């Protein structure tokens, strides 16, 4: 049996629970989990906030920002051995044969990737259980390498918050000479600010929290705009090449569409519970794009981890024992996060 924390229903707090992990098959890596980041998606899923778009199967064991040490490998594993550091993000499998998988875009697998939690587990026939647990068993094709020099707690959030912000910035070619906005300074947003800054862009953070202005600048923003201030927003009208929207709740995206210049892109990575209405005229004059992006492929995730190791980039974390997970969720809802909660899995022992 593997110790875990699970939600038993949309309304119940997370609580101790036992799950079964398979014994490693030939291609599998068994990882003893050291740290697991707390993504707002964990909360959306545990509380069934995505409804029919991604209904939750209970019990639900969230967690997809996993760093640990390999404790066992299957007979066919070549990339890992017992004792190695290893990481797992949002996916544990995909079809591997479709056109997306062949392009290294397993996140856009045409048969749907197997997500790390609440996914259809090909091995057990049940659902996958995530990283709020002692250990996990994953096919080596979906296991990432972590540098021995890395701060492990601060590395865990890269597996979702990191790749989810890195991938669209790479795809839309964020670079020096561009003006780039990041909306919402939470787990994703603070990595977005770090990457936009690292890619050399003029970086502007939009926040609803005046208390985060100084942190926004320390994290790499050249300017911080309090989005509730209409005059401050208006001053940036028509000036952005790219804006990454990392907000977890209902908000007015029209006010950001108005900030794009000709052919600029507003990319949504936040996944709020309710639809976000778009006013047509905000899309027409000038011509612009409203886009979206979901996590990133395995090769790009490794590229991002290596980029972060080379540049000394990691997440700003508040490490918590797993017993504080419900309190952490309540704080996430209030935007009270600096800037990623990470569970020290030793607390589960
Ligand atoms: P988070 O740490 O809770 O940060 C969200 C931030 O959004 C908050 O810190 C706050 O920033 C801002 N915010 C919250 N409520 C708001 C409101 N009512 N109006 C305006 N701003 C508000 O969440 P996260 O883990 O970064 O995740 C953000 C979203 O991305 C979630 O919906 C999550 O499910 C989604 N997500 C998507 C992907 C993907 O692949 N596309 C991957 C991971 C997560 P300020 O205080 O600065 O305003
Ligand atoms: Zn996530
Ligand atoms: Zn596929």
């Amino acid at each position: 049996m593997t110790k875990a924390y699970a939600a038993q229903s949309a309304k119940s707090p997370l609580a101790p629970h036992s799950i079964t992990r398979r014994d490693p098959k030939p291609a599998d890596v068994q990882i003893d989990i050291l740290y697991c980041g707390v993504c707002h998606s964990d909360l959306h899923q545990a509380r069934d906030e995505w409804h029919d778009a991604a209904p939750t199967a209970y019990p639900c064991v969230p967690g997809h920002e996993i760093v640990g040490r390999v404790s066992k490998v299957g007979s066919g594993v070549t990339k890992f051995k017992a004792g190695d550091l290893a990481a797992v993000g949002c996916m544990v499998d995909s079809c591997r044969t479709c056109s997306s998988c062949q392009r290294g875009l397993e996140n856009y697998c045409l048969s749907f990737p197997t997500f790390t939690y609440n996914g259809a587990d090909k091995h057990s026939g049940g659902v996958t259980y995530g990283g709020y647990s002692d250990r996990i068993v994953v096919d080596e094709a979906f296991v990432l390498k972590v540098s021995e020099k890395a701060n492990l707690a601060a590395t865990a959030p890269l597996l979702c918050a990191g790749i989810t912000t890195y991938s669209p910035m790479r795809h839309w070619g964020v670079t020096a000479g561009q003006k780039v906005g990041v909306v919402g300074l939470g787990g994703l947003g603070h990595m977005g600010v770090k990457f936009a800054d690292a890619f050399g862009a003029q970086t502007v953070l939009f926040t609803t929290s005046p208390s985060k202005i100084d942190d926004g600048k320390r994290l790499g923003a050249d300017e911080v705009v309090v989005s509730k201030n209409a005059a401050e927003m208006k001053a940036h009208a028509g000036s952005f090449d790219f804006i990454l929207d990392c907000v977890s709740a209902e908000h007015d995206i029209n006010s950001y569409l108005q900030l794009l210049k000709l052919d600029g892109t507003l990319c949504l990575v936040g996944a709020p519970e309710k639809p976000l209405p778009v006013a047509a005229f905000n899309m027409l004059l000038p011509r612009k794009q409203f886009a979206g992006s979901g996590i990133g492929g395995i090769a790009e995730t490794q590229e991002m981890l290596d980029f972060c190791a080379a540049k000394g980039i990691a997440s700003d974390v508040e490490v918590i024992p797993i017993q504080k997970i419900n309190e952490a969720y309540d704080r996430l809802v209030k935007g009270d996060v600096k800037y990623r909660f990470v569970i020290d899995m030793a607390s589960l022992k």
Side-chain angles (χ1 to χ4, degrees):
M1 282 308 225
T2 299
K3 286 184 186 174
Y5 256 58
Q8 300 289 344
S9 79
K11 300 266 179 248
S12 50
L14 272 70
H17 180 69
S18 294
I19 55 173
T20 307
R21 298 290 193 193
R22 65 181 182 271
D23 283 330
K25 296 187 174 173
D28 283 339
V29 175
Q30 176 181 291
I31 300 164
D32 289 350
I33 300 175
L34 297 170
Y35 294 99
C36 183
V38 178
C39 180
H40 207 113
S41 298
D42 301 353
L43 185 166
H44 288 308
Q45 194 77 71
R47 297 183 179 176
D48 206 12
E49 289 178 351
W50 287 325
H51 312 285
D52 291 346
T56 306
Y58 294 97
C60 172
V61 178
H64 57 204
E65 294 182 336
I66 299 166
V67 170
R69 250 184 221 285
V70 175
S71 48
K72 219 193 249 185
V73 296
S75 56
V77 169
T78 58
K79 276 168 41 191
F80 295 91
K81 59 181 189 318
D84 286 352
L85 285 173
V88 176
C90 303
M91 300 177 283
V92 291
D93 211 343
S94 70
C95 88
R96 306 187 200 195
T97 57
C98 74
S99 54
S100 293
C101 287
Q102 282 178 354
R103 289 173 60 196
L105 298 172
E106 300 88 354
N107 47 323
Y108 304 127
C109 175
L110 300 181
S111 307
F112 211 68
T114 305
F115 286 126
T116 303
Y117 57 81
N118 206 58
D121 188 331
K122 288 175 198 165
H123 301 275
S124 71
V127 298
T128 52
Y129 296 123
Y132 297 4
S133 58
D134 247 356
R135 66 165 55 143
I136 191 163
V137 178
V138 179
D139 189 299
E140 69 167 331
F142 285 76
V143 182
L144 289 310
K145 299 242 183 211
V146 175
S147 158
E148 283 290 342
K149 292 187 204 129
N151 174 331
L152 300 184
T155 295
L158 301 180
L159 277 302
C160 175
I163 185 62
T164 300
T165 49
Y166 180 93
S167 181
M169 288 199 191
R170 284 301 201 206
H171 179 74
W172 274 280
V174 166
T175 187
Q178 293 187 337
K179 186 170 172 186
V180 170
V182 174
V183 188
L185 195 66
L188 268 56
H190 93 292
M191 291 312 306
V193 167
K194 289 185 187 212
F195 287 134
D197 181 47
F199 298 158
Q202 182 193 344
T203 305
V204 180
L205 166 70
F206 295 91
T207 180
T208 59
S209 310
S211 62
K212 294 181 183 174
I213 292 174
D214 290 346
D215 281 347
K217 290 187 180 157
R218 177 179 58 78
L219 293 164
D222 298 294
E223 197 178 330
V224 180
V225 173
V226 177
S227 52
K228 290 170 179 160
N229 183 326
E232 268 188 67
M233 292 290 280
K234 207 170 170 203
H236 289 275
S239 66
F240 281 86
D241 295 281
F242 184 78
I243 300 176
L244 192 68
D245 185 325
C246 304
V247 175
S248 53
E250 235 177 328
H251 62 294
D252 177 22
I253 51 161
N254 293 295
S255 57
Y256 295 101
L257 289 168
Q258 287 166 0
L259 303 188
L260 294 175
K261 67 185 199 191
L262 175 62
D263 290 331
T265 300
L266 172 66
C267 177
L268 211 59
V269 286
E273 179 175 6
K274 300 209 175 91
L276 301 168
V278 175
F281 269 89
N282 281 331
M283 291 301 301
L284 311 182
L285 298 168
R287 181 173 67 195
K288 65 193 68 162
Q289 301 164 82
F290 181 32
S293 182
I295 50 174
I298 293 297
E300 193 177 40
T301 304
Q302 190 64 62
E303 174 193 308
M304 177 275 312
L305 287 169
D306 297 347
F307 176 86
C308 289
K311 300 270 180 191
I313 295 173
S315 179
D316 284 34
V317 301
E318 180 175 340
V319 177
I320 57 165
I322 198 157
Q323 293 76 13
K324 291 235 161 128
I325 187 66
N326 296 300
E327 203 179 294
Y329 277 16
D330 290 343
R331 285 180 54 192
L332 276 187
V333 172
K334 291 187 250 165
D336 176 18
V337 53
K338 288 189 170 173
Y339 281 88
R340 196 58 138 187
F341 295 108
V342 172
I343 303 163
D344 178 353
M345 217 47 74
S347 61
L348 189 59
K349 300 276 186 280

